[in-house]
Each structure stands twice: as C-alpha cells, then as structure tokens.
C-alpha cells in the first residue's frame, strides 16, 4: 500500500465515520425522546391527536389553538444511557489468528466487552464538552389573540441530544471515544388557528443549531482480512525465507503495521448555527369522544462545516516513512509528492447532512369519561440516507490515489466513490412506518395517570448495522402523571425506558463486520461476531401556567 493510500484512507475513513454517526443518531432512537415534554413521553409519543401544551409546536401546531390567555412552560429533562458491546472472533478471523499468531492478534477487541464511562455533548460556543450528566432545561411561551381566533407561540426544545464517552482502552473506541450530537431548536415562531369550534390548523417554523463532535481511534483491517486466501495460497515467505512482497504481505508478514492496531486518532467538530424546518398540522374534534390529528414535519438538507485533526500512530508513521525510502515505484511515488514523513494532518471539510421528513396521523378516543386511548401511526423518510456526499474545501490528491486502489479492488460489496474532491458513501437505509399507543386514566379531577408504548422498527437493514448508533428493533416503555395544581397551573412528569439489542454476525454487516477486501472505509470490526445492548432511561418534568 503506498503512503498516499495510507494517508488518504485515514483521512477519508475519519470524515466518513463522522458523517455516518451523525446521521444515524437522528434516526429512530433520538426521534422525540429528548423533546422534554412529559405528556408526550408518558403517552409513548402518541399525541398527534392530543397535542401537549406549548410543545404542540413540535407534535402538532394545530393544538396551539386550544390554549387560552398567555401561558409559559418550563421543562427539565435528564437521561442516562448504557451501551454495551461484546466481540468474539468469527471462524474466518479466528483461523487467521491461529495461522499467524506472531503477526496477527487483537487483544483490545477479541473477547472483550465495551461499556460507556461518561457523557460528552456538543454545545454551541463550547464544542464537544464532557458533562457530569446528560441533562437540559427548556421552555416556551404562548399568547392568545382572542379577536383573531389564533394563538401565537415559540419554544426551545431539543429534537436530538446524544452524548457518550468511553475510556481510551475500551474496544468501542473505534466507533467513538467521545461523541456528541445536538440539534437544538432555539426559536420556533408558530401559530394555531381556530377555524371552527371543532377544527384547528397550525404551522411552525423552526430555527435550529446543529453540532456534531467525534473523537475516535481509527483502524482499517479489511485489506488484511481480504488477503487471507492469497496468503493461504502463496504464503508470506518464499523458499529462501524472504517475504513474498506485495502490499498486503508487506503489512501482514513483516509485522510493521498490524491491521488491528490504532492507525490514527481523529478529532472532529462540525457545526451549523442555522438549520430551518417547518411543521404543519390539523386537528379535528370529530365527536366529543373522538379527535383526529395529522402532522407533517419537513426535512432539512444542510451543509455543515468543520475541522478534522488526524494524529497518526507511531506504527503508521514508521510504515509510511520506510516506504518513502523504498527504491521501487512505491517509494518513487512517495518522494514525487514530497511525502518523506507524516505525523499530523489538520484540514477543513464539509458534509451534506440530511434531516429526514416525518409524517404522523393519530386518534384520541375517550373510551369512558375517565379513560382515554391515543393511537398514532408514523412514517420517517430515512431512505434519504441512501448515499452521503462529503466534499473537501481543498482538493486532496491522495484520495485520487486511494480511489484508484479501491477501484482496482472493487468487488461490488458496497459501491460508492472516492476521489480527490470528496467521498460518496452508500448507506442503503429504509423509510419506516411505526406506531405508538398511549393510555390516560383521570384518577381524580386533578390527577391523571399515563402509560405509553412505542415499538420502533429499525430503519437500518440488518446488513448495515453497526456500533456507531446501534439501533435494532427498539422498544419504548413509559409512564407518567399530570397534576392540576391550581386553576391555571399544571405539573406533568414522565419516565421512559428505551431498549434495543443487535446480534451482528461475522460478515453480517458491510458497516461493521464485513471481511470483503473492498470494504475498508469504514468497517472496524471485520471478521467479528458482535452483540450490542442499548438502554436509555429518560426522566422529564414540566410546569405550565399563565402570566
């Protein structure tokens, strides 16, 4: 492998991992969980036909028209996330370990377990920041224009908040040592209009901050894994005991650069101060016991700018520096581009980040005067992540070289394209329909209890799953209460639990465990059997009153 290819692969792999993580985190896991509205959480987010106070801005802005007078709402949210992963070498990888015990080993990952050690989040003005707990406080206000049959409102909420931190010696660091992803809506001018006593419409324009931060260790094992057949046929050494020289053997047989060691440490932060979306909704009180609702949330397509810093490992530095002295064509190429050594690269980059559109419709049914059932059906257009485009502000000639290498190795495993000006990464995600149900029992005139359930089908096909954001089939269970404190004051609380598991077999995912030689950006656990378990506990409380 030429030094051009090493540096290009590292740079391309780092930026591509950042984009994959950022966009995946906006999928089913984060959707509505961290909005901070206890009523919505307690009812399993089945509130399209029963919008929750000022947060109707997000769930169905037509519900704003039901509010009276001038109101404010203050909300608090706290969460705790547990993410565990286990790794066991699959049969192909274990055979390689047995065949080449002196040059192939992976003690950091093989047979190990990954766990989180803390929380890091992406914050405006501060960037990627470690915090003691994943928590936030938000709120909103509304104003009824009585003679116009309308209510105006704005609010602050967090459609997406995800943060995690691992210890440097954790096997999961190849999918992020520190990760922070934030979408914060800081201004949302909205209107709800009362068309009649039973029919309402509404719209909201959302102005949001988007931030993505990622620090991680990078490794690229697939060149080695894909070479096993070649090694079995030709072996590392000739009859005289010398290495049969080719780019793969030079890596494996000499032990100069283990494919399972850290190749670089990458630090990345990307931000955009303004990303706009809109919501529109309708609400129809069809009967005193039946209300129907429908909401459309637009998507967003944003170009996010940032910086990437790559610190190459000692093994990579030594490998590339030695190649630069090689008398063959490889060394000639290295010297021709002035590459005598590498240590650190720093560069600006940009990516196109898409936020998928969303549609929901629901019904709120009063089964008895005290018992209410909400049912929602939802659709999220995660198929927009069929492929992702990354562009470099300045051309990266090395990527042209690695693009040629990838093209020569291409077996049709993943598709995509790599060039001096950027990367095109195929993802193959799917748009999904999901449903949710919520139950509310009015225990007294002032106190109500709630239960919710939301099974979330994964938008990530089984052959695309990974540890970046491990979302398999996900279940949300929730409960909560509403207390009518005084004439104009309501206190709501909720507790939610999210759980998801994945079992990814060796060669079962092109984003994690594939051993194909042409799948090296980014597939850090090639040849492993992986098991992941994600658990999230979220607590929310709010106070809504008049002023």
């Amino acid at each position: 492998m030429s030094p051009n290819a090493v540096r290009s692969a590292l740079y391309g792999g780092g930026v591509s991992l950042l984009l994959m993580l950022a966009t995946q985190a906006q999928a089913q896991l984060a959707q509505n969980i961290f909005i901070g509205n206890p009523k919505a959480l307690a009812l399993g987010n089945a509130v399209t036909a029963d919008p929750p106070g000022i947060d109707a801005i997000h769930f169905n802005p037509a519900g704003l028209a039901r509010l009276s007078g001038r109101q404010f709402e203050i909300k608090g949210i706290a969460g705790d996330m547990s993410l565990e992963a286990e790794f066991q070498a699959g049969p192909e990888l274990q055979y390689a370990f047995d065949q080449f015990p002196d040059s192939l080993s992976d003690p950091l990952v093989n047979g190990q377990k990954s766990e989180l050690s803390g929380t890091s989040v992406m914050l405006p003005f501060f960037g990627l920041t470690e915090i003691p707990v994943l928590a936030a406080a938000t709120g909103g206000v509304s104003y009824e224009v009585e003679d116009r049959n309308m209510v105006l409102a704005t609010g602050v909420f967090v459609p997406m908040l995800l943060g995690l931190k691992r210890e440097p010696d954790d096997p999961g660091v190849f999918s992020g040592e520190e990760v922070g992803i934030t979408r914060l809506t800081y201004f949302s001018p909205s209107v709800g209009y009362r068309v009649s006593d039973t029919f309402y419409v509404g719209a909201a324009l959302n102005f949001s901050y988007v931030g993505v931060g990622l620090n991680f260790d990078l490794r690229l094992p697939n060149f080695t894994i894909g070479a096993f057949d070649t090694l079995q046929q030709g072996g590392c050494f000739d009859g005289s005991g010398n290495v049969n020289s080719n780019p793969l053997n030079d890596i494996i047989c000499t032990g100069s650069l283990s494919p399972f060691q850290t190749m670089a440490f990458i630090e990345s932060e990307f931000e955009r101060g303004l990303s706009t979306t809109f919501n529109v909704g309708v609400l129809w009180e069809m009967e005193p016991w039946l209300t129907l609702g429908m909401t459309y949330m637009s998507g967003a397509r944003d170009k996010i700018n940032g910086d990437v810093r790559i610190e190459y490992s000692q093994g990579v530095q030594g490998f590339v520096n030695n190649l630069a002295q090689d008398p063959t064509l490889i060394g000639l190429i290295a010297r021709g581009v002035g590459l005598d050594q590498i240590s650190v690269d720093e560069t600006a980059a940009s990516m196109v980040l898409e936020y998928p559109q969303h549609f929901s419709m629901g019904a709120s049914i009063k089964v008895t005067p005290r018992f209410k059932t909400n049912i929602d059906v939802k659709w999220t257009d995660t198929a927009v992540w069929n492929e992702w485009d990354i562009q470099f502000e300045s051309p990266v000639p090395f990527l042209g070289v690695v693009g040629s290498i990838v093209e020569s190795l291409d077996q049709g495993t993943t598709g995509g394209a790599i060039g001096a000006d950027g990367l095109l990464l195929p993802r193959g995600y799917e748009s999904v329909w999901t449903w949710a149900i919520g139950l509310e029992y009015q225990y007294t005139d002032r106190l109500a209890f709630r239960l919710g359930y939301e099974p979330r089908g994964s938008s990530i096909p089984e052959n695309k799953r990974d540890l970046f954001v491990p979302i398999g089939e996900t279940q949300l269970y929730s409960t909560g209460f509403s207390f009518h404190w005084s004439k104009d004051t309501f206190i709501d609380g909720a507790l939610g639990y999210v759980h998801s598991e994945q079992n990814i077999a060796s060669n079962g995912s092109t984003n994690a465990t594939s051993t194909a030689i042409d799948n090296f950006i980014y597939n850090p656990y090639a040849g492993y059997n992986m098991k992941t378990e994600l658990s999230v506990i979220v607590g929310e409380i709010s106070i809504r009153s008049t002023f």
Side-chain angles (χ1 to χ4, degrees):
M1 181 189 297
S2 74
N4 314 53
V6 172
R7 177 177 278 187
S8 304
L10 293 174
Y11 182 79
V15 180
S16 62
L17 173 58
L18 176 63
L19 180 62
M20 288 186 283
L21 182 57
T23 48
Q24 288 175 16
Q26 295 181 57
Q28 294 299 92
L29 171 65
Q31 193 175 71
N32 293 335
I33 296 297
F34 298 113
I35 291 296
N37 188 274
K39 177 180 177 180
L41 178 62
L43 293 172
N45 294 309
V47 292
T48 303
D50 187 15
I54 296 173
D55 277 333
I57 292 171
H58 174 76
F59 292 97
N60 185 348
L64 293 171
R66 287 176 159 182
L67 302 179
S68 59
R70 296 177 300 179
Q71 298 191 23
F72 71 90
E73 187 166 17
I74 300 173
K75 305 175 294 178
I77 176 174
D80 180 71
M81 184 170 70
S82 169
L83 174 55
E84 298 180 348
E86 298 178 358
F87 307 89
Q88 294 292 335
E92 186 176 0
L93 183 58
Q94 188 59 54
Y95 176 81
F97 287 153
D98 294 339
Q99 287 291 103
F100 306 101
D102 295 332
S103 56
L104 282 184
S105 65
D106 193 10
L108 180 61
V109 175
N110 192 17
Q112 302 301 313
K113 183 178 181 179
S114 171
E115 297 178 321
L116 301 184
S117 62
T119 303
S120 293
V121 297
M122 194 68 179
L123 299 176
F125 309 112
F126 295 97
L128 188 59
T129 306
E130 184 177 359
I131 58 176
V133 64
L134 186 61
T138 58
V141 294
S142 67
Y143 173 72
E144 181 186 15
V145 187
E146 296 185 19
D147 59 342
R148 301 277 185 175
N149 292 327
M150 70 171 61
V151 174
L152 307 178
T154 187
V156 177
F157 50 91
V158 188
M160 177 182 57
L161 179 64
L162 182 67
L164 61 86
K165 179 179 174 60
R166 297 182 175 97
E167 294 298 329
D169 59 351
D170 187 277
V173 294
F174 302 109
S175 292
E177 182 177 322
E178 286 187 276
V179 179
I181 304 169
T182 301
R183 186 177 184 91
L184 169 64
T185 299
Y186 50 81
F187 183 49
S188 52
S190 312
V191 59
Y193 183 74
R194 190 182 308 111
V195 179
S196 69
D197 290 339
T198 60
F199 191 76
Y200 315 87
V201 296
L205 182 61
N206 304 312
F207 298 86
S208 302
Y209 159 87
V210 179
V212 178
L214 174 64
N215 299 336
F216 73 104
D217 288 337
L218 176 74
R219 67 179 192 176
L220 307 171
N222 280 66
F223 271 106
T224 299
I225 304 301
F228 286 160
D229 288 341
T230 300
L231 293 175
Q232 291 175 47
Q233 294 171 13
C236 278
F237 306 100
D238 61 21
S240 303
N242 298 316
V243 172
N244 287 321
S245 182
N246 62 59
L248 296 170
N249 282 17
D250 290 343
I251 295 174
I252 300 170
C253 305
T254 65
S256 61
L257 180 62
S258 167
F260 298 104
Q261 75 178 45
T262 298
M263 302 186 75
F265 180 68
I266 299 180
E267 299 174 279
S268 310
E269 290 189 5
F270 284 66
E271 292 183 294
R272 183 181 176 93
L274 177 61
S275 172
T276 58
T277 58
F278 67 87
N279 308 336
V280 294
V282 297
L283 199 63
W284 181 23
E285 295 173 353
M286 188 175 181
E287 297 288 346
W289 54 271
L290 175 63
T291 302
L292 304 178
M294 186 166 57
T295 304
Y296 171 75
M297 303 177 185
S298 76
R301 181 179 173 88
D302 299 313
K303 181 181 179 181
I304 300 182
N305 299 311
D307 297 294
V308 178
R309 182 181 187 274
I310 307 171
E311 182 178 347
Y312 301 100
S313 70
Q314 291 297 321
V316 170
Q317 292 183 43
F319 177 65
V320 171
N321 297 343
N322 288 339
L323 283 182
Q325 308 305 319
D326 193 290
T328 65
L329 180 60
I330 292 178
L332 181 62
I333 294 174
R335 293 188 297 274
V337 298
L339 182 61
D340 295 324
Q341 60 181 359
I342 62 172
S343 177
V344 175
D345 268 338
E346 295 185 71
T347 184
S350 65
M351 61 181 72
V352 176
L353 186 64
E354 294 205 43
Y355 191 76
Q357 60 184 334
H358 177 77
F359 171 79
S360 65
M361 54 186 177
S364 182
I365 306 167
K366 266 196 171 182
V367 182
T368 71
R370 289 188 176 271
F371 182 69
K372 178 171 63 178
T373 299
N374 293 352
I375 301 174
D376 269 20
V377 177
K378 313 173 186 184
W379 173 78
T380 304
D381 188 23
T382 39
V384 296
W385 298 330
N386 182 56
E387 58 185 21
W388 299 331
D389 190 13
I390 305 170
Q391 295 295 320
F392 308 113
E393 294 187 8
S394 300
V396 182
F398 297 144
L399 283 182
V401 177
V402 77
S404 299
I405 295 174
V406 171
E407 184 178 350
S408 68
L409 296 173
D410 186 17
Q411 300 172 357
T413 302
T414 58
I418 302 175
D421 296 324
L423 303 172
L424 186 64
L425 303 174
R427 303 310 297 162
Y429 289 178
E430 301 170 344
S431 298
V432 291
W433 285 92
T434 61
W435 62 277
I437 186 169
L439 308 174
E440 181 179 279
Y441 178 68
Q442 195 70 42
Y443 183 69
T444 69
D445 291 343
R446 301 177 65 185
L447 179 64
F449 296 107
R450 295 164 175 155
L451 290 173
Y453 174 61
E454 185 178 16
R456 299 185 170 201
S458 177
S459 60
I460 306 175
E462 289 188 5
N463 66 339
K464 301 296 181 182
R465 295 182 180 179
D466 48 45
L467 184 59
F468 301 145
V469 177
I471 307 172
E473 300 295 324
T474 304
Q475 313 291 323
L476 167 64
Y477 306 91
S478 58
T479 186
F481 69 90
S482 178
F483 183 62
H484 195 169
W485 178 267
S486 65
K487 178 183 177 181
D488 298 317
T489 303
F490 297 83
I491 300 175
D492 291 85
L495 186 66
Y497 173 69
V498 180
H499 185 261
S500 179
E501 292 186 4
Q502 293 184 123
N503 285 286
I504 307 173
S506 171
N507 269 317
S509 170
T510 57
N511 291 341
T513 64
S514 169
T515 60
I517 192 173
D518 59 339
N519 185 21
F520 67 101
I521 303 179
Y522 183 65
N523 187 72
Y525 302 105
Y528 278 98
N529 295 318
M530 291 175 52
K531 180 180 180 181
T532 71
E533 182 175 5
L534 173 70
S535 298
V536 182
I537 298 175
V538 182
E540 299 177 352
I541 191 167
S542 71
I543 299 175
R544 179 164 57 92
S545 189
T546 59
F547 66 97

